[in-house]
């Protein structure tokens, strides 16, 4: 007669069907334990979405209503659809600033204005010219011998109308403003020949 180890008697004395049930219950318990370990584990952290790409930015110099510099800053570039520009601007202002058109000589509101103040972009309000640098060029367009800041305007080549010229646009919104020539007065010798309709004047505060 075999000796029985403590704790084994009950198992050995079980009928075969009972043994199968016993083993089945044990396996089920192990499976439940394993499943519980999986459920208890922390779920994997979701992948972090990359930050949304920032819109284009430009560097410009800010100016107060008195014409005092507020320093050079990074600001969002002003970008609008054609429909949005058309809704904001007069037909002539749209043609000049968004289509590089030109107003007729002596027709603009600022061709012969001598008031003291700041001329800003009609599209985005960026300061462009100070009236203290404005002079009578006799051309029929408002003319300045210097931009209020080199940071606020962009010069580019213009070969339209079978001519070679340097076009001037607003740095913040790409509005076409006019052209610059090298036949201006001292101290720069430049003539920034602008379209009145591309500007808005504000008296100096």
């Amino acid at each position: 007669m075999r000796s029985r180890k403590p704790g084994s008697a009950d198992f050995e004395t079980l009928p075969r069907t009972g043994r199968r049930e016993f083993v089945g219950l044990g396996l089920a318990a192990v499976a439940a334990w394993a499943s519980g370990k999986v459920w208890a584990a922390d779920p994997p952290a979701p992948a972090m979405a990359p930050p949304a790409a920032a819109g284009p930015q430009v560097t410009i110099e800010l100016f107060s209503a008195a014409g005092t510099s507020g320093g050079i800053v990074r600001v969002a570039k002003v970008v609008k659809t054609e429909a949005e520009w058309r809704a904001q601007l007069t037909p002539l202002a749209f043609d000049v600033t968004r289509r590089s058109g030109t107003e007729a000589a002596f027709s603009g509101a600022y061709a012969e204005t001598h008031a003291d103040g700041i001329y800003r972009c009609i599209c985005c309000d960026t300061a462009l010219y100070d009236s203290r640098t404005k002079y009578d060029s006799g051309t029929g367009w408002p003319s300045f011998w210097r931009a209020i800041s080199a940071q606020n305007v962009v010069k580019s080549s213009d070969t339209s109308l079978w001519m070679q010229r340097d076009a001037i646009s607003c740095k913040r919104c790409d509005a076409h403003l006019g052209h610059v020539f090298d036949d201006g007065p001292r101290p720069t010798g430049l003539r920034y020949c602008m379209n009145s309709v591309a500007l808005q004047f504000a008296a100096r505060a």
Side-chain angles (χ1 to χ4, degrees), residues 11 14 18-35:
F11 177 79
L14 288 172
R19 291 183 184 185
R20 285 196 297 268
E21 292 174 357
F22 184 86
V23 172
L25 289 173
L27 293 175
V30 171
W33 176 84
S35 299

Side-chain angles (χ1 to χ4, degrees), residues 2 19 23 29 46 49 84 112 114 116 119 143 179:
R2 291 184 301 172
R19 291 183 184 185
V23 172
E84 289 173 327
E112 299 179 2
H114 300 288
D116 183 35
Y119 291 85
S143 301
H179 295 83

Side-chain angles (χ1 to χ4, degrees), residues 106-115 119 134-136 138 140-143 196:
F106 298 101
S107 67
Y110 305 131
E112 299 179 2
T113 298
H114 300 288
Y119 291 85
K134 190 174 185 292
Y135 72 101
D136 185 3
W141 289 282
S143 301
S196 291

Side-chain angles (χ1 to χ4, degrees), residues 38-185:
V38 173
W39 294 337
D42 291 333
M48 294 295 292
Q57 294 190 326
V58 292
T59 300
I60 64 170
E61 188 171 357
L62 298 179
F63 286 88
S64 69
T68 303
S69 173
I72 296 175
V73 297
R74 293 283 291 173
V75 295
K77 191 176 184 68
V78 176
V79 180
K80 297 183 180 182
T81 65
E82 179 175 313
E84 289 173 327
W85 285 126
R86 285 187 180 278
Q88 175 183 331
L89 304 168
T90 66
L92 180 56
F94 176 84
D95 182 63
V96 169
T97 61
R98 312 322 305 182
R99 295 290 180 83
S100 299
T102 302
E103 66 190 8
F106 298 101
S107 67
Y110 305 131
E112 299 179 2
T113 298
H114 300 288
D116 183 35
I118 305 298
Y119 291 85
R120 297 180 177 272
C121 177
I122 192 67
C123 293
C124 69
D125 203 44
T126 297
L128 299 172
Y129 299 97
D130 191 309
S131 65
R132 293 170 181 172
T133 64
K134 190 174 185 292
Y135 72 101
D136 185 3
S137 65
T139 61
W141 289 282
S143 301
F144 307 83
W145 49 263
R146 183 178 68 190
I148 197 168
S149 173
Q151 294 286 339
N152 295 5
V153 296
V154 175
K155 182 171 71 172
S156 60
S157 178
D158 179 4
T159 57
S160 63
L161 302 179
W162 303 279
M163 293 186 289
Q164 178 63 54
R165 296 177 293 174
D166 289 322
I168 297 296
S169 59
C170 173
K171 189 174 184 179
R172 188 171 187 186
C173 70
D174 295 330
H176 173 71
L177 306 172
H179 295 83
V180 61
F181 303 94
D182 60 2
D183 57 5

